[in-house]
Amino acid sequence: GAVVSQHPSRVICKSGTSVKIECRSLDFQATTMFWYRQFPKQSLMLMATSNEGSKATYEQGVEKDKFLINHASLTLSTLTVTSAHPEDSSFYICSGGAGGRETQYFGPGTRLLVL
Amino acid sequence: QQQVKQSPQSLIVQKGGISIINCAYENTAFDYFPWYQQFPGKGPALLIAIRPDVSEKKEGRFTISFNKSAKQFSLHIMDSQPGDSATYFCAASLAPGKLTFGQGTILTVHP
């Protein structure tokens, strides 16, 4: 299957700071990528759809000003958690599908811990 | 509103046995149903997927059974192995790539 990478794999930051997470499709181009959040021992919840060259669309209840998404190229989407707080601590995972197909390949995830 | 309900929450199976995980959905507009396997600290990996016009799909030891009228689908893992111990998620899709996940099932396969 296709390969999606994320960087960093884990990050610890102080409350009030901003953190950027990168999601890259390594062997395919993705006009659309998706960002999910997963709390410990819970399921994945879709946060937003990242669209190359246009604004991201956010799921209900997700603050777009807090979770900034930029999809600057066909292989890179970034999620910036602004003014992070301890309740933002979670596992953030991105996904993409080659050619917009339904089959989604997930990245390895980024563990964020906000102190 | 939880649109995809998954059960059981946890499952213990002996090596060589059959693991069965069930999911039920509410929205009849869902048109793609994948199953993912996730190990601790890793992203989900696609196992197998099915469309609602097919009642069963088999890939190796993994089989999806789909009942459109009952709005239910299940994953069967034949000859379960200790290496299959992981969390399994069913999911459903309304639009390409946009997945609604079930709550997950923690599978433990004892040697």
CSV table of all heavy atoms in Angstrom, one decimal, chain A residues 34 36 38 41-46 49 59 91 93 95 100-109 111, chain B residues 2 31-32 36 38 41-46 51 89 93 95-104 106:
chain,number,residue,atom,x,y,z
A,34,PHE,N,-6.7,13.8,5.4
A,34,PHE,CA,-7.6,13.9,6.6
A,34,PHE,C,-6.9,13.9,7.9
A,34,PHE,O,-5.9,13.2,8.0
A,34,PHE,CB,-8.7,12.8,6.5
A,34,PHE,CG,-9.5,12.8,5.3
A,34,PHE,CD1,-9.1,12.1,4.1
A,34,PHE,CD2,-10.7,13.4,5.2
A,34,PHE,CE1,-9.8,12.1,3.0
A,34,PHE,CE2,-11.5,13.4,4.1
A,34,PHE,CZ,-11.0,12.8,2.9
A,36,TYR,N,-7.2,13.2,12.0
A,36,TYR,CA,-8.0,12.5,13.0
A,36,TYR,C,-7.3,12.8,14.4
A,36,TYR,O,-6.1,13.0,14.5
A,36,TYR,CB,-8.1,11.0,12.8
A,36,TYR,CG,-8.9,10.6,11.6
A,36,TYR,CD1,-8.3,10.7,10.3
A,36,TYR,CD2,-10.2,10.2,11.7
A,36,TYR,CE1,-9.1,10.3,9.2
A,36,TYR,CE2,-11.0,9.8,10.6
A,36,TYR,CZ,-10.4,9.9,9.4
A,36,TYR,OH,-11.1,9.5,8.3
A,38,GLN,N,-7.1,10.9,18.3
A,38,GLN,CA,-7.5,9.7,19.1
A,38,GLN,C,-7.0,9.9,20.5
A,38,GLN,O,-5.8,9.9,20.8
A,38,GLN,CB,-6.8,8.5,18.4
A,38,GLN,CG,-7.2,7.2,19.0
A,38,GLN,CD,-6.6,6.0,18.4
A,38,GLN,OE1,-5.5,6.0,17.8
A,38,GLN,NE2,-7.3,4.8,18.4
A,41,LYS,N,-7.2,4.9,24.4
A,41,LYS,CA,-8.2,3.8,24.5
A,41,LYS,C,-9.5,4.2,23.9
A,41,LYS,O,-10.6,3.6,24.2
A,41,LYS,CB,-8.4,3.3,25.9
A,41,LYS,CG,-7.1,2.8,26.6
A,41,LYS,CD,-7.4,2.1,27.9
A,41,LYS,CE,-6.1,1.7,28.6
A,41,LYS,NZ,-5.4,0.7,27.7
A,42,GLN,N,-9.5,5.2,23.0
A,42,GLN,CA,-10.7,5.6,22.3
A,42,GLN,C,-10.6,5.4,20.8
A,42,GLN,O,-9.5,5.1,20.3
A,42,GLN,CB,-11.1,7.0,22.7
A,42,GLN,CG,-11.5,7.2,24.1
A,42,GLN,CD,-12.1,8.5,24.4
A,42,GLN,OE1,-12.6,9.2,23.5
A,42,GLN,NE2,-12.0,8.9,25.7
A,43,SER,N,-11.6,5.7,20.1
A,43,SER,CA,-11.6,5.6,18.6
A,43,SER,C,-11.0,6.8,18.0
A,43,SER,O,-10.7,7.8,18.6
A,43,SER,CB,-13.1,5.4,18.2
A,43,SER,OG,-13.1,5.1,16.8
A,44,LEU,N,-10.9,6.8,16.7
A,44,LEU,CA,-10.4,7.9,15.9
A,44,LEU,C,-11.6,8.8,15.6
A,44,LEU,O,-12.7,8.3,15.1
A,44,LEU,CB,-9.8,7.5,14.6
A,44,LEU,CG,-8.4,6.8,14.7
A,44,LEU,CD1,-8.5,5.3,15.0
A,44,LEU,CD2,-7.7,6.9,13.4
A,45,MET,N,-11.4,10.1,15.8
A,45,MET,CA,-12.5,11.1,15.4
A,45,MET,C,-11.9,12.0,14.3
A,45,MET,O,-10.9,12.6,14.5
A,45,MET,CB,-12.9,11.9,16.7
A,45,MET,CG,-13.5,11.0,17.8
A,45,MET,SD,-15.0,10.2,17.3
A,45,MET,CE,-16.1,11.7,17.1
A,46,LEU,N,-12.7,12.1,13.3
A,46,LEU,CA,-12.3,13.0,12.2
A,46,LEU,C,-12.3,14.4,12.6
A,46,LEU,O,-13.4,14.9,13.2
A,46,LEU,CB,-13.2,12.8,11.0
A,46,LEU,CG,-12.9,13.6,9.8
A,46,LEU,CD1,-11.5,13.3,9.2
A,46,LEU,CD2,-14.0,13.4,8.7
A,49,THR,N,-10.9,18.0,7.0
A,49,THR,CA,-10.4,17.6,5.7
A,49,THR,C,-9.5,18.7,5.1
A,49,THR,O,-9.9,19.8,5.1
A,49,THR,CB,-11.6,17.4,4.7
A,49,THR,OG1,-12.5,16.5,5.3
A,49,THR,CG2,-11.2,16.9,3.4
A,59,GLU,N,-14.9,19.5,11.0
A,59,GLU,CA,-16.0,18.8,11.5
A,59,GLU,C,-16.7,19.6,12.6
A,59,GLU,O,-16.0,20.5,13.2
A,59,GLU,CB,-15.6,17.4,12.0
A,59,GLU,CG,-15.1,16.4,10.9
A,59,GLU,CD,-16.1,16.2,9.8
A,59,GLU,OE1,-17.2,15.7,10.1
A,59,GLU,OE2,-15.8,16.5,8.7
A,91,PHE,N,-3.4,11.8,20.4
A,91,PHE,CA,-2.6,11.2,19.3
A,91,PHE,C,-3.3,11.7,18.0
A,91,PHE,O,-4.5,11.5,17.8
A,91,PHE,CB,-2.8,9.6,19.4
A,91,PHE,CG,-1.9,8.8,18.6
A,91,PHE,CD1,-0.5,9.0,18.6
A,91,PHE,CD2,-2.4,7.7,17.8
A,91,PHE,CE1,0.3,8.3,17.8
A,91,PHE,CE2,-1.5,7.0,17.1
A,91,PHE,CZ,-0.2,7.2,17.1
A,93,ILE,N,-3.5,11.8,13.9
A,93,ILE,CA,-3.1,10.9,12.8
A,93,ILE,C,-3.7,11.4,11.5
A,93,ILE,O,-4.8,11.9,11.5
A,93,ILE,CB,-3.8,9.5,13.0
A,93,ILE,CG1,-3.5,9.0,14.5
A,93,ILE,CG2,-3.2,8.5,12.0
A,93,ILE,CD1,-4.3,7.7,14.8
A,95,SER,N,-4.4,10.9,7.2
A,95,SER,CA,-4.6,9.9,6.2
A,95,SER,C,-4.7,10.5,4.8
A,95,SER,O,-5.0,11.7,4.7
A,95,SER,CB,-5.8,9.0,6.5
A,95,SER,OG,-7.0,9.7,6.1
A,100,GLY,N,-7.5,10.4,-4.6
A,100,GLY,CA,-8.8,10.6,-4.0
A,100,GLY,C,-9.6,9.3,-3.8
A,100,GLY,O,-10.8,9.4,-3.5
A,101,ARG,N,-9.0,8.2,-3.9
A,101,ARG,CA,-9.7,6.9,-3.8
A,101,ARG,C,-10.2,6.7,-2.4
A,101,ARG,O,-9.6,7.3,-1.4
A,101,ARG,CB,-8.8,5.8,-4.3
A,101,ARG,CG,-8.6,5.7,-5.7
A,101,ARG,CD,-7.6,4.7,-6.1
A,101,ARG,NE,-7.8,3.4,-5.5
A,101,ARG,CZ,-6.9,2.4,-5.5
A,101,ARG,NH1,-5.7,2.6,-6.0
A,101,ARG,NH2,-7.3,1.3,-5.0
A,102,GLU,N,-11.1,5.8,-2.2
A,102,GLU,CA,-11.6,5.6,-0.9
A,102,GLU,C,-10.6,4.9,0.0
A,102,GLU,O,-10.6,5.2,1.2
A,102,GLU,CB,-12.8,4.6,-1.0
A,102,GLU,CG,-14.1,5.3,-1.6
A,102,GLU,CD,-15.2,4.3,-1.8
A,102,GLU,OE1,-14.9,3.2,-2.2
A,102,GLU,OE2,-16.3,4.7,-1.6
A,103,THR,N,-9.7,4.1,-0.5
A,103,THR,CA,-8.7,3.4,0.3
A,103,THR,C,-7.8,4.5,1.0
A,103,THR,O,-7.1,5.2,0.3
A,103,THR,CB,-7.9,2.5,-0.5
A,103,THR,OG1,-8.8,1.5,-1.1
A,103,THR,CG2,-6.9,1.8,0.4
A,104,GLN,N,-7.9,4.5,2.3
A,104,GLN,CA,-7.1,5.5,3.0
A,104,GLN,C,-5.9,4.9,3.7
A,104,GLN,O,-6.1,3.8,4.4
A,104,GLN,CB,-8.0,6.2,4.0
A,104,GLN,CG,-9.0,7.2,3.4
A,104,GLN,CD,-8.3,8.4,2.8
A,104,GLN,OE1,-7.6,9.2,3.5
A,104,GLN,NE2,-8.5,8.5,1.5
A,105,TYR,N,-4.8,5.5,3.5
A,105,TYR,CA,-3.6,5.0,4.2
A,105,TYR,C,-3.2,6.0,5.3
A,105,TYR,O,-3.2,7.2,5.1
A,105,TYR,CB,-2.4,4.9,3.2
A,105,TYR,CG,-2.7,3.9,2.1
A,105,TYR,CD1,-3.2,4.3,0.9
A,105,TYR,CD2,-2.6,2.5,2.3
A,105,TYR,CE1,-3.6,3.4,-0.1
A,105,TYR,CE2,-2.9,1.6,1.3
A,105,TYR,CZ,-3.4,2.1,0.1
A,105,TYR,OH,-3.7,1.2,-0.8
A,106,PHE,N,-3.0,5.5,6.5
A,106,PHE,CA,-2.8,6.3,7.6
A,106,PHE,C,-1.3,6.5,7.9
A,106,PHE,O,-0.5,5.6,7.7
A,106,PHE,CB,-3.5,5.7,8.9
A,106,PHE,CG,-5.0,6.0,8.9
A,106,PHE,CD1,-5.8,5.2,8.2
A,106,PHE,CD2,-5.5,7.0,9.6
A,106,PHE,CE1,-7.2,5.4,8.1
A,106,PHE,CE2,-6.9,7.3,9.6
A,106,PHE,CZ,-7.7,6.4,8.8
A,107,GLY,N,-1.0,7.6,8.5
A,107,GLY,CA,0.4,7.9,9.0
A,107,GLY,C,0.6,7.2,10.3
A,107,GLY,O,-0.4,6.6,10.9
A,108,PRO,N,1.8,7.2,10.8
A,108,PRO,CA,2.1,6.5,12.1
A,108,PRO,C,1.6,7.2,13.3
A,108,PRO,O,1.7,6.7,14.4
A,108,PRO,CB,3.6,6.4,12.1
A,108,PRO,CG,4.0,7.5,11.2
A,108,PRO,CD,3.0,7.7,10.2
A,109,GLY,N,1.1,8.5,13.1
A,109,GLY,CA,0.6,9.2,14.2
A,109,GLY,C,1.7,10.1,14.9
A,109,GLY,O,2.9,9.8,14.8
A,111,ARG,N,2.2,11.8,18.8
A,111,ARG,CA,1.8,11.9,20.2
A,111,ARG,C,2.1,13.2,20.7
A,111,ARG,O,3.2,13.6,20.8
A,111,ARG,CB,2.5,10.8,21.0
A,111,ARG,CG,2.1,10.8,22.5
A,111,ARG,CD,0.8,10.3,22.8
A,111,ARG,NE,0.6,8.9,22.4
A,111,ARG,CZ,-0.5,8.2,22.3
A,111,ARG,NH1,-1.6,8.8,22.6
A,111,ARG,NH2,-0.5,7.0,21.9
B,2,GLN,N,-23.3,8.5,17.7
B,2,GLN,CA,-22.5,7.4,17.2
B,2,GLN,C,-23.1,6.7,16.1
B,2,GLN,O,-24.2,6.0,16.2
B,2,GLN,CB,-22.2,6.5,18.4
B,2,GLN,CG,-21.3,5.3,18.0
B,2,GLN,CD,-20.0,5.7,17.4
B,2,GLN,OE1,-19.7,5.7,16.3
B,2,GLN,NE2,-19.1,6.1,18.4
B,31,ASP,N,-21.4,3.9,1.9
B,31,ASP,CA,-21.2,3.0,0.8
B,31,ASP,C,-19.9,2.4,0.7
B,31,ASP,O,-19.5,1.8,-0.3
B,31,ASP,CB,-21.5,3.8,-0.5
B,31,ASP,CG,-20.5,5.0,-0.7
B,31,ASP,OD1,-19.6,5.2,0.2
B,31,ASP,OD2,-20.6,5.7,-1.7
B,32,TYR,N,-19.1,2.4,1.8
B,32,TYR,CA,-17.8,1.8,1.8
B,32,TYR,C,-17.5,1.4,3.3
B,32,TYR,O,-17.6,2.3,4.1
B,32,TYR,CB,-16.8,2.7,1.2
B,32,TYR,CG,-15.3,2.2,1.3
B,32,TYR,CD1,-14.9,1.2,0.4
B,32,TYR,CD2,-14.4,2.8,2.1
B,32,TYR,CE1,-13.6,0.8,0.4
B,32,TYR,CE2,-13.1,2.4,2.1
B,32,TYR,CZ,-12.7,1.4,1.3
B,32,TYR,OH,-11.4,0.9,1.3
B,36,TYR,N,-9.8,-1.8,10.0
B,36,TYR,CA,-8.5,-1.4,10.3
B,36,TYR,C,-7.9,-2.1,11.5
B,36,TYR,O,-8.7,-2.4,12.4
B,36,TYR,CB,-8.3,0.1,10.5
B,36,TYR,CG,-8.4,0.9,9.2
B,36,TYR,CD1,-9.6,1.3,8.7
B,36,TYR,CD2,-7.2,1.3,8.5
B,36,TYR,CE1,-9.7,2.1,7.5
B,36,TYR,CE2,-7.3,2.0,7.3
B,36,TYR,CZ,-8.5,2.4,6.8
B,36,TYR,OH,-8.6,3.1,5.7
B,38,GLN,N,-4.9,-1.8,14.5
B,38,GLN,CA,-4.0,-0.8,15.0
B,38,GLN,C,-3.3,-1.4,16.2
B,38,GLN,O,-3.8,-2.0,17.1
B,38,GLN,CB,-4.8,0.4,15.5
B,38,GLN,CG,-3.9,1.5,16.0
B,38,GLN,CD,-4.7,2.8,16.5
B,38,GLN,OE1,-5.8,2.7,17.0
B,38,GLN,NE2,-4.1,3.9,16.3
B,41,GLY,N,0.4,2.7,19.8
B,41,GLY,CA,1.4,3.8,19.3
B,41,GLY,C,1.6,3.9,17.9
B,41,GLY,O,2.4,4.6,17.4
B,42,LYS,N,0.8,3.2,17.1
B,42,LYS,CA,0.9,3.2,15.6
B,42,LYS,C,-0.4,3.7,15.0
B,42,LYS,O,-1.5,3.7,15.6
B,42,LYS,CB,1.2,1.8,15.1
B,42,LYS,CG,2.4,1.1,15.7
B,42,LYS,CD,3.7,1.9,15.4
B,42,LYS,CE,4.9,1.2,16.0
B,42,LYS,NZ,6.2,1.9,15.7
B,43,GLY,N,-0.3,4.0,13.7
B,43,GLY,CA,-1.5,4.4,13.0
B,43,GLY,C,-2.2,3.1,12.5
B,43,GLY,O,-1.7,2.0,12.4
B,44,PRO,N,-3.5,3.3,12.2
B,44,PRO,CA,-4.3,2.1,11.7
B,44,PRO,C,-3.8,1.6,10.3
B,44,PRO,O,-3.4,2.4,9.5
B,44,PRO,CB,-5.7,2.7,11.6
B,44,PRO,CG,-5.7,4.0,12.3
B,44,PRO,CD,-4.3,4.5,12.2
B,45,ALA,N,-3.9,0.3,10.1
B,45,ALA,CA,-3.5,-0.3,8.9
B,45,ALA,C,-4.7,-1.0,8.3
B,45,ALA,O,-5.4,-1.7,9.0
B,45,ALA,CB,-2.4,-1.3,9.1
B,46,LEU,N,-5.0,-0.7,7.0
B,46,LEU,CA,-6.2,-1.3,6.3
B,46,LEU,C,-6.0,-2.8,6.2
B,46,LEU,O,-5.0,-3.3,5.8
B,46,LEU,CB,-6.3,-0.7,4.9
B,46,LEU,CG,-7.5,-1.2,4.1
B,46,LEU,CD1,-8.8,-0.9,4.7
B,46,LEU,CD2,-7.4,-0.7,2.7
B,51,ARG,N,-18.0,-3.2,-0.2
B,51,ARG,CA,-19.1,-2.3,-0.6
B,51,ARG,C,-20.4,-3.0,-0.3
B,51,ARG,O,-20.5,-4.2,-0.2
B,51,ARG,CB,-18.9,-2.0,-2.0
B,51,ARG,CG,-17.7,-1.1,-2.4
B,51,ARG,CD,-17.8,-0.8,-3.9
B,51,ARG,NE,-16.7,0.1,-4.2
B,51,ARG,CZ,-16.7,1.4,-4.0
B,51,ARG,NH1,-17.8,2.0,-3.5
B,51,ARG,NH2,-15.7,2.2,-4.4
B,89,PHE,N,-10.7,-1.8,14.3
B,89,PHE,CA,-11.8,-0.8,14.1
B,89,PHE,C,-12.5,-1.1,12.8
B,89,PHE,O,-11.9,-1.3,11.8
B,89,PHE,CB,-11.2,0.6,14.0
B,89,PHE,CG,-10.6,1.1,15.3
B,89,PHE,CD1,-9.2,1.0,15.5
B,89,PHE,CD2,-11.4,1.8,16.2
B,89,PHE,CE1,-8.7,1.5,16.7
B,89,PHE,CE2,-10.8,2.3,17.4
B,89,PHE,CZ,-9.5,2.1,17.7
B,93,SER,N,-17.9,4.9,5.3
B,93,SER,CA,-17.6,6.1,4.6
B,93,SER,C,-18.8,6.6,3.8
B,93,SER,O,-19.5,5.9,3.1
B,93,SER,CB,-16.4,5.9,3.7
B,93,SER,OG,-16.2,7.0,2.8
B,95,ALA,N,-18.2,9.7,2.0
B,95,ALA,CA,-17.5,10.3,0.9
B,95,ALA,C,-16.1,9.8,0.9
B,95,ALA,O,-15.6,9.4,1.9
B,95,ALA,CB,-17.5,11.8,1.1
B,96,PRO,N,-15.4,9.7,-0.3
B,96,PRO,CA,-14.1,9.1,-0.3
B,96,PRO,C,-13.1,9.7,0.7
B,96,PRO,O,-12.9,10.9,0.8
B,96,PRO,CB,-13.6,9.5,-1.8
B,96,PRO,CG,-14.9,9.6,-2.5
B,96,PRO,CD,-15.9,10.2,-1.6
B,97,GLY,N,-12.6,8.8,1.5
B,97,GLY,CA,-11.6,9.1,2.5
B,97,GLY,C,-12.2,9.6,3.9
B,97,GLY,O,-11.5,9.6,4.9
B,98,LYS,N,-13.4,10.0,3.9
B,98,LYS,CA,-14.0,10.5,5.1
B,98,LYS,C,-14.6,9.4,5.9
B,98,LYS,O,-15.7,8.9,5.6
B,98,LYS,CB,-15.0,11.6,4.8
B,98,LYS,CG,-15.1,12.7,5.7
B,98,LYS,CD,-16.0,13.8,5.2
B,98,LYS,CE,-16.3,14.8,6.2
B,98,LYS,NZ,-17.2,15.8,5.7
B,99,LEU,N,-13.9,8.9,7.0
B,99,LEU,CA,-14.3,7.7,7.7
B,99,LEU,C,-14.9,8.0,9.1
B,99,LEU,O,-14.5,8.9,9.8
B,99,LEU,CB,-13.1,6.8,7.9
B,99,LEU,CG,-12.5,6.3,6.6
B,99,LEU,CD1,-11.2,5.6,6.9
B,99,LEU,CD2,-13.4,5.3,5.9
B,100,THR,N,-16.0,7.3,9.4
B,100,THR,CA,-16.6,7.3,10.7
B,100,THR,C,-16.2,5.9,11.3
B,100,THR,O,-16.6,4.9,10.8
B,100,THR,CB,-18.1,7.4,10.6
B,100,THR,OG1,-18.4,8.7,10.0
B,100,THR,CG2,-18.7,7.4,12.0
B,101,PHE,N,-15.5,5.9,12.4
B,101,PHE,CA,-15.0,4.7,13.0
B,101,PHE,C,-15.9,4.2,14.1
B,101,PHE,O,-16.6,5.0,14.8
B,101,PHE,CB,-13.6,5.0,13.6
B,101,PHE,CG,-12.5,5.0,12.6
B,101,PHE,CD1,-12.2,6.2,12.0
B,101,PHE,CD2,-11.8,3.9,12.3
B,101,PHE,CE1,-11.2,6.2,11.0
B,101,PHE,CE2,-10.8,3.9,11.4
B,101,PHE,CZ,-10.5,5.1,10.7
B,102,GLY,N,-15.9,2.9,14.3
B,102,GLY,CA,-16.5,2.3,15.5
B,102,GLY,C,-15.6,2.5,16.7
B,102,GLY,O,-14.6,3.1,16.6
B,103,GLN,N,-16.1,2.0,17.8
B,103,GLN,CA,-15.4,2.3,19.1
B,103,GLN,C,-14.1,1.4,19.3
B,103,GLN,O,-13.3,1.7,20.1
B,103,GLN,CB,-16.3,2.0,20.3
B,103,GLN,CG,-17.6,2.9,20.3
B,103,GLN,CD,-18.8,2.2,19.6
B,103,GLN,OE1,-18.6,1.5,18.6
B,103,GLN,NE2,-19.9,2.5,20.2
B,104,GLY,N,-14.0,0.4,18.5
B,104,GLY,CA,-12.8,-0.4,18.6
B,104,GLY,C,-13.0,-1.7,19.4
B,104,GLY,O,-13.8,-1.7,20.3
B,106,ILE,N,-10.5,-4.6,21.3
B,106,ILE,CA,-9.2,-5.1,21.7
B,106,ILE,C,-9.2,-6.6,21.7
B,106,ILE,O,-9.9,-7.3,22.4
B,106,ILE,CB,-8.8,-4.6,23.1
B,106,ILE,CG1,-8.9,-3.1,23.2
B,106,ILE,CG2,-7.4,-5.1,23.5
B,106,ILE,CD1,-8.7,-2.5,24.6
